[in-house]
């Protein structure tokens, strides 16, 4: 997980401390926004460079890295930012299950 976190920071050309705003006198919500923005920039690159590769390990590593720096997500909140592994773990059936869930909500 450490190497994944360093890989993300290397690709974004920032220090790992910058990803979590370590040592900056800002509130937790702002730290979370900054971490999400860095994640979205990384995700844009990753999807272009590796369009068919699963991101599960990368997502788990980044969420663990954020969690170790007190940046946590409520249940289901990570999905909005591309930090959910549910659809990745479902594999070839992810479209069917996601469609079924949307019909159940209606």
């Amino acid at each position: 997980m450490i190497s994944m976190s360093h890989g993300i920071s290397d690709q974004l050309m920032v220090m790992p401390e910058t990803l979590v705003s370590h040592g900056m006198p800002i509130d937790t919500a702002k730290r979370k926004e900054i971490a999400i923005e860095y994640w979205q920039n990384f995700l844009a690159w990753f999807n272009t460079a590796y369009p068919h590769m699963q991101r599960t390990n990368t997502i788990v590593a980044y969420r663990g890295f954020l969690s170790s720096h007190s940046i946590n997500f409520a249940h289901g909140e990570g999905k909005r930012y591309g930090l959910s592994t549910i659809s990745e773990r479902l594999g070839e059936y992810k479209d069917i299950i996601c469609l079924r869930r949307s019909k159940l909500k209606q």
Side-chain angles (χ1 to χ4, degrees):
M1 289 196 339
I2 293 171
S3 66
M4 287 280 194
S5 298
H6 278 284
I8 291 170
S9 65
D10 287 347
Q11 183 57 42
L12 294 172
M13 293 186 224
V14 296
M15 294 296 292
E17 297 86 16
T18 307
L19 294 174
V20 292
S21 308
H22 183 73
M24 298 176 102
I26 54 177
D27 64 343
T28 306
K30 184 65 177 170
R31 290 177 64 217
K32 190 178 205 177
E33 287 177 26
I34 292 169
I36 290 169
E37 185 177 332
Y38 279 121
W39 171 253
Q40 290 172 338
N41 290 337
F42 174 77
L43 197 57
W45 168 83
F46 189 87
N47 288 336
T48 304
Y50 305 104
H52 300 293
M53 189 173 186
Q54 284 194 341
R55 301 179 306 265
T56 305
N57 292 339
T58 309
I59 291 169
V60 169
Y62 193 67
R63 283 183 70 132
F65 177 71
L66 295 179
S67 179
S68 70
H69 292 282
S70 302
I71 299 174
N72 298 304
F73 296 90
H75 180 72
E77 183 184 10
K79 187 175 184 178
R80 288 187 286 184
Y81 309 114
L83 285 166
S84 174
T85 59
I86 292 174
S87 62
E88 294 283 328
R89 287 184 283 142
L90 296 175
E92 64 184 272
Y93 301 105
K94 64 184 172 187
D95 296 330
I96 296 168
I97 293 176
C98 291
L99 178 64
R100 176 107 172 129
R101 284 183 183 171
S102 66
K103 285 184 179 181
L104 289 174
K105 288 181 183 179
Q106 295 174 355

